Amino acid sequence: PTLIESELFGREKGAFTGAIKPKQGLFQDADGGTIFLDEIGELPLDLQAKLLRVLQDKQVRPVGSNHSVKVDVRVVAATNRDLEAGYKAGTFRKDLYFRLNVVTVYLPSLRERKSDIPTLLQHFLDRYSSDLQSIEITAAAMKCLMHYDWPGNVRELENCIERAVALGNREIIDVDDLPPAVRAVAPKKSSSSATAESYDSNDLEDIERATIQRVFEQVHGDKLLAGKMLGISRATLYRKIKRYNIDLSSGAHAAATAEQS
């Protein structure tokens, strides 16, 4: 806890064993900007109280100091825990919860938004393959990715693709290139009409086309911003626009209307 407090709020020389020199905390580093506190639900209760004071008073007191330092910081916090249930159970301070809970963005788990998988997949393929080489993925492998529940969410998907690129032939990703847990959910071939739901290449293309079209409408036809939102390179975006024959006129029309108004 002392080390966490020191990282956040700073310390004076000799504040604790190993503090051989003063250190400015992250809140001071972020003065005039934004600090992102990931997994805020893991913070011990005593540090939650100190964080609450910082948010209320807009001042930090370095460990071992008798003086406070003013800071002007916007705080963005994230957690995978239910903090409302946490404060009711006494594991998270109620006052800190309501201090942080000004604007809430709920991000569903990946299994609840599987239509994002093709776009995320292309983003990670661009990241882990060379700029001069395009890696394709077979329909069978894509079926596995779409059927898997992704308990590790987007991080697990990224690791899966990184593994497939590293261990594969860097040309095509097939089912055998995927981790065992993902391969295990591969749809079984059956002639029965009661076969479990599956995705063919046309289904996946429709999902990806609709996703790109929706983003273009949201950004009013701005290709640069659309690429950033989709997490893909400009070259990949242009390739998909051409491949899917995506109509950008609606986005451009929205942009023109906005400019006129």
Side-chain angles (χ1 to χ4, degrees):
T2 303
L3 292 176
I4 298 175
E5 185 178 1
S6 170
E7 285 295 316
L8 291 176
F9 310 134
R11 66 167 183 255
E12 294 294 329
K13 178 180 178 181
F16 53 85
T17 302
I20 58 177
K21 60 181 180 180
K23 175 183 173 63
Q24 181 169 282
L26 295 177
F27 269 87
Q28 290 174 265
D29 287 341
D31 187 32
T34 302
I35 185 169
F36 173 54
L37 305 176
D38 198 9
E39 299 300 350
I40 191 69
E42 309 297 330
L43 198 65
L45 281 169
D46 58 336
L47 284 178
Q48 291 179 27
K50 294 178 180 179
L51 175 59
L52 177 63
R53 285 198 297 271
V54 170
L55 299 180
Q56 290 177 336
D57 301 338
K58 302 188 185 311
Q59 294 181 343
V60 296
R61 177 176 292 182
V63 179
S65 174
N66 294 323
H67 304 284
S68 297
V69 180
K70 288 183 175 295
V71 290
D72 179 16
V73 177
R74 175 174 54 187
V75 176
V76 179
T79 181
N80 64 0
R81 294 190 176 189
D82 184 345
L83 294 186
E84 186 173 356
Y87 83 68
K88 291 178 181 177
T91 59
F92 197 83
R93 291 184 63 100
K94 184 176 181 178
D95 45 9
L96 178 58
Y97 170 76
F98 286 110
R99 171 63 68 174
L100 290 171
N101 191 26
V102 178
V103 177
T104 300
V105 178
Y106 173 69
L107 182 64
S109 60
L110 187 56
R111 64 178 168 270
E112 297 177 50
R113 49 189 177 98
K114 288 188 176 181
S115 62
D116 287 353
I117 289 177
T119 302
L120 289 167
L121 171 65
Q122 188 60 60
H123 170 67
F124 294 135
L125 284 176
D126 288 344
R127 173 179 293 179
Y128 293 112
S129 62
S130 65
D131 295 335
L132 302 178
Q133 191 171 19
S134 177
I135 300 179
E136 300 294 330
I137 184 165
T138 66
M142 182 63 86
K143 287 180 181 179
C144 291
L145 298 176
M146 296 297 287
H147 277 78
Y148 187 59
D149 273 345
W150 301 106
N153 291 303
V154 177
R155 289 189 184 95
E156 184 180 10
L157 176 62
E158 180 178 6
N159 290 340
C160 172
I161 300 307
E162 184 179 11
R163 175 189 189 276
V165 172
L167 300 182
N169 60 12
R170 302 187 69 83
E171 294 179 359
I172 296 176
I173 293 177
D174 204 351
V175 175
D176 292 339
D177 300 315
L178 303 177
V182 180
R183 294 200 305 265
V185 300
K188 292 181 170 46
K189 295 180 180 179
S190 172
S191 58
S192 170
S193 60
T195 304
E197 177 189 11
S198 63
Y199 296 81
D200 60 29
S201 58
N202 290 332
D203 293 331
L204 298 172
E205 288 179 358
D206 288 343
I207 290 172
E208 190 170 45
R209 181 189 296 108
T211 300
I212 295 174
Q213 185 74 58
R214 185 176 69 249
V215 169
F216 266 111
E217 291 173 358
Q218 291 174 349
V219 301
H220 307 304
D222 187 328
K223 296 185 181 67
L224 181 61
L225 183 55
K228 289 181 179 179
M229 290 182 64
L230 291 165
I232 57 179
S233 66
R234 182 179 299 182
T236 298
L237 178 61
Y238 286 142
R239 186 169 66 248
K240 290 187 180 296
I241 291 172
K242 183 177 179 181
R243 175 182 177 183
Y244 295 138
N245 193 25
I246 293 176
D247 180 17
L248 306 182
S249 59
S250 59
H253 175 71
T257 303
E259 289 175 2
Q260 291 173 4
S261 61

